[in-house]
Amino acid sequence: MGAFAKITATAGYVPERVVTNEELADLMETSDEWIVSHTGIQTRHYAMNQENTSDLSTQVGQKLIKESGVSVEEIDLIIISTITPDSLTPSTAAIVQGKLHAKNAMAFDLSAACAGFVYAMSVADKMMRSGLYRHAIVISAEVNSKMMDFTDRTSTVFFGDGAGGALLTRTNNETEEFLIDEIIETDGTGATTIHSGRVKPLSEISKTNFPTTDAFYQDGRSVFQFATGTVSVQMKTLLERNQLNETNLAAIICHQANLRIIEKISQTLMISMDKFPHTVEKFGNTSSAGIPLTLATMGHSDQPILLTGFGAGLAYGSILIRM
């Protein structure tokens, strides 16, 4: 008898502090009109006063445990997708395991930028299918605000902080398996298109050496072309392979990078925007957290849902799931 995984609960969390476009316009040369017209973003949330990525993750983890009815002692796997960890080591997942008191859970971080939730759900599925794990928590959490250059309007106006995730439970019923099909890819030749937190190696041995990281950077035009070109082809391939179209698909949840990108993908696939739930207007680009934050707004569906993430790496992936 095989082992499979079903989604038992979903949840999302954003920090309390709301940051408007007007507030950012006071810091840099931009305006509410420009931001809305180019991105669709109206507000975003920032983690403040020592609230960090592990705290956002813990909030989601607590919600998932409460909603699912699974006890914290039954959780045996925690995967945190993030590019804004509390630290390089220990992992944010280890910190979250401690804060949740999930003493029986193996925990680790996964870094795949804005495709992180898709990658993490795929990895969790394979681990659950091994039969060694019974209940897994998969969370994407980002505190992007701490990595922003607030003189760079080309990046900073897009980003917000947040977390979202899902709790997976092992089942022996293959019809309950959440993951229907997937295409997950990486194009390392585009590694300089988006980057954050780079640390330079030593040029000399000196007592003045101290590690520093750089702020977030993206080539917006290249990202737009990649998302609406390469990523759209991947999405179309997966849909055609599973004979899915607008009528028999519940929804398409894209990485919440920019409303204009989502609109362009809708046009390219010739699928109505009504099929594309989006939260980017309220939360901004929350990197890997955008997909699960949006997924948490949806209820049970008998039809498949397509999740597509894309970001630095270049990492991009599409998975078909059932809820």
Side-chain angles (χ1 to χ4, degrees):
M1 186 177 295
F4 306 96
K6 64 180 180 180
I7 295 176
T8 308
T10 60
Y13 172 81
V14 292
E16 290 185 9
R17 178 69 156 84
V18 178
V19 179
T20 64
N21 292 339
E22 289 85 354
E23 186 170 356
L24 292 180
D26 288 339
L27 301 177
M28 60 193 77
E29 188 178 346
T30 190
S31 67
D32 175 66
E33 180 184 9
W34 188 93
I35 297 172
V36 171
S37 64
H38 286 75
T39 72
I41 298 167
Q42 300 169 7
T43 57
R44 74 283 295 147
H45 292 243
Y46 281 1
M48 305 288 290
N49 302 317
Q50 306 304 311
E51 188 176 37
N52 213 333
T53 306
S54 65
D55 301 301
L56 273 60
S57 300
T58 301
Q59 290 281 351
V60 172
Q62 290 170 341
K63 288 183 178 183
L64 291 171
I65 290 167
K66 182 179 180 179
E67 182 181 334
S68 67
V70 174
S71 71
V72 69
E73 291 80 10
E74 292 179 288
I75 305 299
D76 46 22
L77 173 63
I78 297 173
I79 302 176
I80 303 292
S81 155
T82 186
I83 54 169
T84 57
D86 285 21
S87 56
L88 294 179
T89 191
S91 70
T92 299
I95 298 170
V96 172
Q97 190 250 33
K99 288 182 176 181
L100 289 175
H101 306 290
K103 61 182 181 181
N104 296 316
M106 183 264 275
F108 65 92
D109 287 359
L110 183 152
S111 177
C114 305
F117 186 70
V118 171
Y119 272 59
M121 289 290 274
S122 174
V123 170
D125 175 69
K126 309 307 177 291
M127 295 182 72
M128 296 287 284
R129 283 175 180 254
S130 73
L132 297 176
Y133 303 92
R134 186 171 295 276
H135 299 285
I137 285 178
V138 179
I139 296 172
S140 289
E142 307 287 5
V143 178
N144 291 307
S145 57
K146 67 184 179 183
M147 297 304 298
M148 291 297 115
D149 173 1
F150 281 85
T151 66
D152 178 13
R153 66 174 182 172
T154 63
S155 293
T156 301
V157 299
F158 288 88
F159 288 89
D161 305 338
L167 192 146
L168 307 179
T169 296
R170 193 172 76 201
T171 175
N172 294 324
N173 185 349
E174 187 173 3
T175 64
E176 293 182 319
E177 163 64 28
F178 83 91
L179 204 158
I180 301 168
D181 197 3
E182 65 179 33
I183 301 176
I184 298 179
E185 300 176 90
T186 304
D187 177 9
T189 63
T192 60
T193 303
I194 311 170
H195 58 78
S196 178
R198 295 186 302 183
V199 182
K200 293 181 179 179
L202 292 178
S203 57
E204 62 177 0
I205 301 174
S206 168
K207 65 181 180 180
T208 60
N209 288 330
F210 195 84
T212 58
T213 63
D214 67 351
F216 182 91
Y217 165 84
Q218 68 174 353
D219 179 343
R221 185 177 298 276
S222 295
V223 171
F224 188 92
Q225 292 172 345
F226 166 64
T228 58
T230 303
V231 175
S232 293
V233 171
Q234 181 191 79
M235 296 168 74
K236 184 177 181 181
T237 300
L238 190 59
L239 291 173
E240 289 179 346
R241 190 161 81 190
N242 289 271
Q243 299 179 322
L244 292 170
N245 53 44
E246 187 166 346
T247 60
N248 56 12
L249 190 67
I252 298 175
I253 302 179
C254 291
H255 163 43
Q256 302 292 295
N258 176 331
L259 187 59
R260 307 303 166 231
I261 288 178
I262 298 173
E263 290 169 342
K264 180 63 175 178
I265 290 174
S266 167
Q267 293 171 10
T268 302
L269 296 180
M270 293 186 289
I271 295 177
S272 168
M273 273 295 289
D274 292 341
K275 289 287 186 177
F276 288 79
H278 45 86
T279 55
V280 66
E281 301 96 322
K282 296 186 298 181
F283 302 145
N285 181 341
T286 53
S287 302
S288 67
I291 291 175
L293 267 173
T294 308
L295 184 65
T297 67
M298 299 187 62
H300 171 77
S301 174
D302 292 326
Q303 294 179 313
I305 300 169
L306 174 62
L307 309 182
T308 297
F310 45 88
L314 296 164
Y316 56 113
S318 298
I319 59 174
L320 280 169
I321 68 167
R322 58 171 62 92
M323 292 274 283

